[in-house]
Amino acid sequence: MDIAALERFLCERGVDVRGELRVELISGGRSNLTFAAYDDVSKWVVRRPPVAGLTPSAHDMAREFTVTEALQESAVPVAKTIAFDEKGSALGAPMTVVEFVDGSVIRDQDDLAALTDEQLSASVGELVRVLAELHAVDPGPVGLREFGRPEGFLARQVRLWASQWDRVKTRELRDVAELHAALSEAVPQQSAASIVHGDFRIDNTILDSADPGRVRAVVDWELSTLGDPLTDVALMCVYRAPVFDLVLGSRAAWTSDRIPGPDELAQAYATASGRDLGDWGFYLALANFKLGVIGEGITHRARLGFDAGSDAAMRAAEATPEFMAAGLRALRGGRK
């Protein structure tokens, strides 16, 4: 982070920087780099793409800023947007700046241990409600009518993740080809359209520290688009699989057995949103397919030298066969 360049950028955008500007890295690695920037009065969050190793489309800063700005006056809690450097003139890469939202981020099961069962139940209920609120936002009035192409979204997703597999596979797996073929045959003829987050679970939100049953902000919008809302719901449910720990390389909060299972989460969403979960097996299968490819991709990049020395990254692909098998079971109507 070039602090002097960041300060010049903020001042040029009319942000009143008082005193020395300081910057600290909050998180980095496989996702966008996230920094806390603060002066003597105010605090902001600065996000930029990683310096190497990932495809730009997975970390589209314009997408993240656009949807966050559009949702400012909606029922979906988001950080207040401050500025966007689309061309990367300040840092040499696109950058977003939003207000810092104070609160708790529950990333792993150690963080989760700080919540009582009552607090956790309230948190999960609120997460499901917020997701339903997001899917209820009409994209047109908030300026997101052209944010994506909902027509043919599901078929494109199947093709996208199959082509991604061809780029990152570290071995041949028969279940991958079988699941791809089955998904291609099972694409629903009709589906709903809404704003989708693309990566919704507890650690991509900021909870109120005093009241974990309140979501103060939904974050990490770089995969958002216009698409089928049930893809968000199914992914949220499949993230509950214990094997997802291998993909994240940690004991993820969302895989804890303290959180309701996939069926309960899906039913809670159906109740909150009033949506029918038709073709549910297809959506679960697609989510499993996607996560299997992602796990494979993490190990693929580790073998290329990214995340060098990370045993967790080298092991991520161990999850792939389990996700592919779970996807086939979901399509066949077996255990989810």
Side-chain angles (χ1 to χ4, degrees):
M1 172 59 67
D2 185 334
I3 298 177
L6 175 61
E7 183 169 0
R8 286 194 299 272
F9 172 77
L10 292 173
C11 292
E12 288 168 0
R13 298 303 174 96
V15 178
D16 186 13
V17 178
R18 300 186 182 185
E20 180 187 0
L21 183 67
R22 285 90 80 192
V23 176
E24 297 174 357
L25 179 67
I26 297 176
S27 65
R30 299 183 193 123
S31 188
N32 288 324
L33 302 179
T34 305
F35 301 87
Y38 55 97
D39 60 11
D40 295 342
V41 178
S42 303
K43 194 170 184 178
W44 306 276
V45 170
V46 181
R47 296 255 288 169
R48 57 151 295 163
V51 293
L54 294 180
T55 57
S57 61
H59 304 280
D60 187 339
M61 305 305 296
R63 181 170 300 277
E64 184 167 65
F65 192 81
T66 297
V67 70
T68 305
E69 190 168 52
L71 293 173
Q72 292 292 299
E73 303 302 322
S74 75
V76 182
V78 291
K80 181 180 178 182
T81 51
I82 302 298
F84 175 42
D85 182 7
E86 183 174 10
K87 296 182 179 179
S89 57
L91 299 180
M95 167 180 63
T96 63
V97 183
V98 300
E99 280 192 352
F100 185 90
V101 177
D102 219 353
S104 301
V105 178
I106 309 297
R107 291 190 175 88
D108 56 36
Q109 293 186 28
D110 290 338
D111 295 332
L112 201 68
L115 302 184
T116 66
D117 288 345
E118 183 179 2
Q119 288 174 326
L120 182 55
S121 178
S123 296
V124 173
E126 181 66 357
L127 286 167
V128 172
R129 187 196 68 80
V130 167
L131 185 60
E133 290 282 8
L134 170 64
H135 295 160
V137 174
D138 185 345
V142 299
L144 295 177
R145 193 182 307 277
E146 306 300 323
F147 192 58
R149 295 183 295 137
E151 301 82 4
F153 175 76
L154 294 176
R156 288 197 306 277
Q157 284 286 294
V158 173
R159 291 194 299 269
L160 168 69
W161 290 104
S163 64
Q164 182 69 0
W165 170 261
D166 289 336
R167 286 192 289 271
V168 304
K169 63 183 177 182
T170 64
R171 64 296 175 59
E172 296 294 335
L173 290 175
R174 185 173 62 181
D175 278 357
V176 175
E178 187 176 346
L179 181 53
H180 174 218
L183 283 167
S184 299
E185 290 290 328
V187 174
Q189 294 301 305
Q190 293 184 327
S191 65
S194 75
I195 303 166
V196 296
H197 180 273
D199 195 18
F200 192 85
R201 58 181 190 266
I202 195 169
D203 50 313
N204 283 336
T205 67
I206 299 172
L207 304 181
D208 190 289
S209 297
D211 177 14
R214 177 189 171 206
V215 176
R216 297 206 64 202
V218 179
V219 298
D220 289 354
W221 291 91
E222 62 262 40
L223 297 176
S224 59
T225 189
L226 297 186
D228 190 318
L230 295 190
T231 57
D232 261 350
V233 186
L235 199 57
M236 174 182 69
C237 291
V238 173
Y239 280 145
R240 290 285 293 109
V243 73
F244 185 54
D245 287 352
L246 283 172
V247 176
L248 287 188
S250 66
R251 295 172 64 247
W254 200 242
T255 64
S256 168
D257 58 12
R258 296 179 61 201
I259 291 173
D263 290 344
E264 292 177 77
L265 289 174
Q267 185 55 55
Y269 173 84
T271 301
S273 66
R275 291 184 185 274
D276 179 75
L277 301 183
D279 297 304
W280 186 233
F282 169 85
Y283 292 97
L284 287 176
L286 178 59
N288 275 287
F289 189 56
K290 175 179 178 178
L291 289 184
V293 174
I294 288 172
E296 192 82 3
I298 291 169
T299 296
H300 170 74
R301 288 189 293 272
R303 291 184 177 185
L304 291 177
F306 304 109
D307 285 331
S310 169
D311 291 338
M314 291 298 290
R315 293 192 61 202
E318 292 177 21
T320 300
E322 294 197 39
F323 281 121
M324 297 302 171
L328 286 170
R329 288 197 302 272
L331 272 183
R332 293 165 181 163
R335 183 170 55 87
K336 299 177 178 61

